[in-house]
Amino acid sequence: MLTRQEALTRIGRLQLKLQGKGMDGALFIYPIDVYYFSGTRQNSTLWVPASGEPRLFVRKSYTRAKAESCIDDTRPFPSSKEFPGAFGEEVKKIGFTFDVAPVQQYQYYQKLLPGCEFVDISAVNREIRSVKSAWELEQIRHCGVELGQVFRAVPQFLKEGMREVDLAAEFEYRLRKAGGEGYVRMRAFNQELFQGLAVSSATAGDTGFFDGAVTGQGMSAASPHGASAALIPADAPILIDYTAVFNGYIIDMTRFFVIGKLDPELEHAFGVAVAIQDYLAQNLKPGAICEELFLKALEMATDAGLAEHFMGAPGENARFVGHGVGLELDEFPVLAQGFKVPLQVGQTLAIEPKFVFPGKGVIGIENTFAVTENGGEKLSELPDDIVYL
């Protein structure tokens, strides 16, 4: 569970930002934001004044929220008439996370607090959450240990001719037995993910909605992501790209397996992917510009003659090579074109250089790193090598 000191530190950082922007406070309604600052994911609304004590208004379950919350003033959600009385008359400018708030909810709180100006603090919130404390880094390291154990067990159950979905089920079964929570929260609109994906050359090149290098075929048009009923062949790369979620925190890793031998072109691409990952990891230092790291990765792929396959099928390439992880899979920062932001110590990123060859398969690597003064700290101990069976 979140410690009281951890919560107070986070709230203090937020209050400094609010004061700097001349705001009177921030109102959080999105569950994972409420959890980040309060320690409970119960159905609640959190008010954090620019100075002073925060308040947590709970709809359900008040009993559980009261037991879990790090906020001293945790109370039942008041009636519409009583709600404005919880705010002083001096409160006029309120921060709100426009990136995730439905219009209906925005209008509801505007009606409850007439005369107040609601200002978007999505970027402020995401920047605060991007920098992980020592406690948070320990949660992610634990995820790495547990996920690594499942990856190590793959040779016990991966067989030629089994369906992708059976491979995924075996992997997910072991991860769940280890205590994995399964929730893979994503902030971006219209994005969703069921734990991860296990795909072979039969479907790895399939394009889709997911904002990443690989989508997979999925089980239907309603769930067009991840493993399918396709059979896993010999002599082709098998991608297992999974998250592990423990205590709310996420780690993201990818490993490749081959039953037999691998096409030389794919072996070459794997070497390039590892070289890109290693370069980026060495340069995950404070002050490094995210866009510049992405452009260097693209340059390395281009120099290797693989640019059209980098981070997606030709013509549908994703324009990033790394993304922040934490309580959500798509946190800040992003190593992407247009993201001209310097890295900060304590940020955590999944670095995932991958190459997609329609008809042949996908190859690459992914690990989660923490930004340090000396470069990226790998948050798992699993070797990067392709596993041949």
Side-chain angles (χ1 to χ4, degrees):
M1 292 181 63
L2 183 67
T3 67
R4 177 178 170 78
Q5 185 55 52
E6 187 80 14
L8 291 176
T9 299
R10 296 173 181 184
I11 290 168
R13 291 170 60 201
L14 172 63
Q15 288 179 322
L16 287 175
K17 292 283 189 181
L18 295 173
Q19 292 166 18
K21 292 185 174 295
M23 294 187 184
D24 299 313
L27 200 62
F28 293 97
I29 64 170
Y30 194 60
I32 203 60
D33 293 335
V34 173
Y35 171 78
Y36 178 79
F37 290 107
S38 74
T40 183
R41 183 261 174 265
Q42 297 303 303
N43 187 1
S44 310
T45 294
L46 175 65
W47 166 246
V48 180
S51 61
E53 297 301 316
R55 301 184 191 94
L56 185 66
F57 306 103
V58 186
R59 286 191 165 89
K60 188 176 184 297
S61 158
Y62 174 69
T63 301
R64 184 159 179 179
K66 188 69 175 174
E68 296 173 341
S69 176
C70 297
I71 306 299
D72 289 336
D73 190 350
T74 295
R75 60 177 80 171
F77 199 96
S79 69
S80 298
K81 290 182 178 180
E82 295 171 333
F83 189 81
F87 300 79
E89 293 183 359
E90 72 281 1
V91 173
K92 298 297 181 184
K93 194 172 184 180
I94 296 175
F96 208 65
T97 50
F98 287 19
D99 61 334
V100 289
V103 172
Q104 184 271 339
Q105 287 292 304
Y106 171 67
Q107 292 175 338
Y108 170 75
Y109 283 98
Q110 274 192 317
K111 186 177 180 180
L112 283 183
L113 298 169
C116 291
E117 176 189 4
F118 285 76
V119 179
D120 187 18
I121 58 163
S122 303
V124 169
N125 177 49
R126 297 190 73 179
E127 181 186 351
I128 289 171
R129 286 184 45 194
S130 76
V131 178
K132 308 301 187 290
S133 67
W135 182 85
E136 290 180 287
L137 291 174
E138 192 55 38
Q139 309 309 305
I140 300 174
R141 288 191 191 96
H142 174 70
C143 294
V145 170
E146 298 295 343
L147 186 56
Q149 296 283 18
V150 180
F151 270 114
R152 288 185 176 93
V154 169
Q156 300 172 20
F157 55 83
L158 174 56
K159 308 294 180 185
E160 179 184 353
M162 74 187 304
R163 300 183 304 169
E164 291 177 349
V165 69
D166 294 324
L167 172 60
E170 291 284 354
F171 195 95
E172 292 160 13
Y173 166 75
R174 287 162 175 79
L175 190 55
R176 186 66 167 154
K177 287 278 285 184
E181 296 167 2
Y183 290 100
V184 184
R185 295 180 168 101
M186 296 189 69
R187 201 170 189 90
F189 182 67
N190 274 347
Q191 293 295 304
E192 56 188 3
L193 172 71
F194 182 74
Q195 295 193 53
L197 60 161
V199 297
S200 65
S201 59
T203 66
D206 288 7
T207 57
F209 76 93
F210 190 71
D211 188 15
V214 183
T215 297
Q217 189 178 94
M219 298 302 294
S220 72
S223 301
H225 179 272
S228 73
L231 303 183
I232 293 174
D235 302 325
I238 302 155
L239 171 148
I240 302 181
D241 180 352
Y242 264 81
T243 61
V245 187
F246 290 81
N247 204 20
Y249 283 87
I250 300 170
I251 198 167
D252 194 5
M253 296 164 59
T254 300
R255 292 296 184 272
F256 283 84
F257 299 80
V258 179
I259 303 170
K261 60 184 185 298
L262 191 61
D263 182 289
E265 183 179 24
L266 296 177
E267 286 188 332
H268 167 64
F270 178 75
V272 176
V274 172
I276 291 172
Q277 174 198 247
D278 291 349
Y279 172 85
L280 295 175
Q282 291 167 11
N283 288 277
L284 291 180
K285 299 178 181 179
I289 304 300
C290 292
E291 181 185 57
E292 293 176 5
L293 292 176
F294 168 77
L295 293 175
K296 179 61 178 180
L298 179 58
E299 178 186 321
M300 292 174 71
T302 302
D303 290 346
L306 297 171
E308 67 174 337
H309 302 282
F310 185 53
M311 295 304 294
E316 297 215 21
N317 312 77
R319 305 303 292 178
F320 75 94
V321 72
H323 57 91
V325 293
L327 291 170
E328 293 170 314
L329 186 64
D330 53 348
E331 294 195 358
F332 281 175
V334 187
L335 303 188
Q337 190 166 1
F339 202 83
K340 304 175 188 291
V341 176
L343 294 176
Q344 301 178 57
V345 169
Q347 290 178 324
T348 46
L349 299 98
I351 304 298
E352 55 170 321
K354 294 169 183 168
F355 296 95
V356 179
F357 298 83
K360 285 188 175 183
V362 175
I363 202 73
I365 191 66
E366 181 176 21
N367 285 292
T368 300
F369 297 87
V371 177
T372 79
E373 294 286 354
N374 300 313
E377 175 199 347
K378 188 178 178 185
L379 298 178
S380 69
E381 298 179 356
L382 190 69
D384 292 344
D385 306 320
I386 297 171
V387 177
Y388 291 88
L389 305 175

